[in-house]
Amino acid sequence: MNPAFVPRLINGPFGDPGLYIQLRWEGRAVLFDLGHNDSFPAGDLCRASHVCVSHCHMDHFIGFDRLLRVFLGRDQTLWLCGPPGILDCVEGKLRGYTWNLVDGYGFSLEVAEVWPDSIRRAVFRAASGFRREPLPTQPFHGLVVDEPAFCIRAAHLDHRIYSMAFAFEEKSHLNVDSAYLARLGVPPGPWLSALKNALRRGEPDVVTATWQENGHDRSRDFSLGEVRGALVKETHGQKFAYVVDTLFSPENAERIAALAQGADVFFCESPFLDADEDQATRRYHLTAKQAGLLGRSAHARELRVFHFSPRYAGRAEELYREAQASFCGEQSEAGALTSAGK
Ligand SMILES: [Zn+2]
Ligand SMILES: [Zn+2]
């Protein structure tokens, strides 16, 4: 399978958490969390169309400033969601600067504050000095982004505040048969994204491929009926789950298992070793063993742990080993989930 979405962590395991999912065929990306991101290429950061923030503890939100700086001169709207309180946190960040010379700028930030039953929204436009302009509230039923190619689900977890967990799901994976395309003499290009979106929506019925050949403009029309099952074949889509900063409680475990069910990759924090479980529980964080159990109960294909506590500097292998052993069921786990939150 030729993956449409490529995930990568923003930092190493001891760095601030953050996940970047590249949408390969659309030239854009989705970003999870805004921890320290100074070493992440600006050219990649500026491709983000959606940003999902788990919560506004400093290690998850300090990178907002760099994101803002990268986007400021761009004539586009960036969408950002987060837990209850995110509107005030974004506004507070924006109020920390002077905006008297940006009235000609086209950049705006649309913020969605996700409560358990509703999404409160506002837009902050550079042209108006980033004044908060309320937008209509929407109901929340688990979905924060719903696009033709993918959706993002969210769940509220307990971190002594709300911490949002997210699942990024490709709706269905559409594979282009490149040999078939080559036989038609049509080169791949952005029109393939338009074609896939048309297949997902069921319209428009005809998509036109355009390209240059020997200095001449060429084009060819493709009808959806012609390409379905021939040029484009449908397979199971990708799924990535992102879980950080949460208590190992039965309620959280249940929500995470439901959200991350069947994920191809389950990205999960694991700041502590099992030996320091009491400390993890006091801080409303997970241990590596608990991360493994959560990945296992979600039937994830792969577990990738990160957000290690600096107390284990030089001991990353121990955290990886403990998480993988638990994920693979190599440790005694009897009653581990039922005794969660003890
Ligand atoms: Zn954190
Ligand atoms: Zn936190």
Side-chain angles (χ1 to χ4, degrees):
M1 178 164 121
N2 200 359
F5 304 105
V6 182
R8 74 182 201 260
L9 290 167
I10 300 283
N11 293 307
F14 290 99
D16 284 355
L19 176 69
Y20 181 89
I21 299 181
Q22 181 194 0
L23 282 59
R24 281 177 69 202
W25 313 123
E26 300 193 31
R28 61 187 177 120
V30 175
L31 186 58
F32 295 89
D33 269 344
L34 294 172
H36 207 278
N37 50 24
D38 273 10
S39 58
F40 199 75
D44 289 339
L45 211 53
C46 73
R47 292 183 188 279
S49 60
H50 297 78
V51 181
C52 301
V53 176
S54 63
H55 62 302
C56 291
H57 281 160
M58 208 171 185
D59 54 329
H60 298 255
F61 201 52
I62 197 169
F64 176 88
D65 287 34
R66 179 155 183 259
L67 185 80
L68 177 63
R69 191 165 202 185
V70 163
F71 271 91
L72 192 56
R74 303 178 80 88
D75 196 8
Q76 67 187 87
T77 299
L78 177 65
W79 183 94
L80 183 150
C81 80
I86 190 84
L87 282 166
D88 285 346
C89 288
V90 167
E91 189 172 31
K93 283 272 195 189
L94 294 168
R95 290 280 75 81
Y97 297 101
T98 304
W99 302 110
N100 62 316
L101 297 176
V102 296
D103 41 332
Y105 285 29
F107 174 64
S108 58
L109 188 62
E110 186 183 323
V111 180
E113 181 172 287
V114 187
W115 289 76
D117 60 354
S118 66
I119 303 179
R120 302 177 191 174
R121 300 156 63 232
V123 63
F124 300 85
R125 297 177 217 275
S128 60
F130 289 113
R131 195 166 37 80
R132 187 198 291 208
E133 300 170 39
L135 296 172
T137 296
Q138 293 173 339
F140 173 62
H141 301 297
L143 217 54
V144 289
V145 176
D146 192 9
E147 291 222 352
F150 68 92
C151 66
I152 301 175
R153 296 180 196 284
H156 292 80
L157 304 179
D158 179 11
H159 178 47
R160 224 168 86 186
I161 51 166
Y162 282 122
S163 174
M164 307 284 301
F166 299 101
F168 177 102
E169 293 177 34
E170 184 180 16
K171 288 187 175 169
S172 61
H173 187 74
L174 300 176
N175 297 285
V176 174
D177 185 337
S178 49
Y180 187 97
L181 194 60
R183 282 200 297 280
L184 296 177
V186 181
W191 65 274
L192 280 171
S193 283
L195 180 69
K196 288 177 180 178
N197 283 338
L199 280 165
R200 289 186 180 103
R201 284 198 195 98
E203 57 155 18
D205 199 44
V206 174
V207 172
T208 304
T210 56
W211 70 98
Q212 285 256 319
E213 199 171 286
N214 300 325
H216 297 287
D217 290 332
R218 299 280 312 273
S219 70
R220 185 193 193 282
D221 287 345
F222 288 93
S223 73
L224 299 192
E226 170 196 5
V227 299
R228 193 174 275 121
L231 173 62
V232 183
K233 297 185 175 72
E234 191 169 338
T235 55
H236 181 66
Q238 293 171 276
K239 177 170 177 174
F240 306 108
Y242 179 81
V243 173
V244 288
D245 293 36
T246 184
L247 176 71
F248 191 65
S249 67
E251 297 79 16
N252 280 345
E254 196 177 308
R255 284 185 192 135
I256 292 166
L259 182 79
Q261 199 56 228
D264 293 285
V265 188
F266 177 57
F267 291 91
C268 190
E269 72 147 0
S270 69
F272 295 95
L273 285 169
D274 183 48
D276 297 316
E277 187 190 347
D278 288 350
Q279 176 79 354
T281 304
R282 270 202 304 280
R283 306 288 299 273
Y284 282 65
H285 275 290
L286 298 175
T287 66
K289 179 179 175 183
Q290 291 165 348
L293 290 172
L294 291 170
R296 195 169 165 74
S297 68
H299 301 103
R301 286 195 190 159
E302 183 187 337
L303 169 70
R304 220 170 290 172
V305 290
F306 61 107
H307 202 4
F308 297 169
S309 164
R311 67 166 61 193
Y312 305 110
R315 298 169 63 196
E317 274 313 312
E318 288 177 53
L319 287 148
Y320 286 127
R321 253 200 319 271
E322 181 177 297
Q324 290 307 322
S326 155
F327 180 57
C328 298
E330 290 167 15
Q331 289 175 350
S332 164
E333 65 191 74
L337 276 175
T338 49
S339 69
K342 70 176 183 284

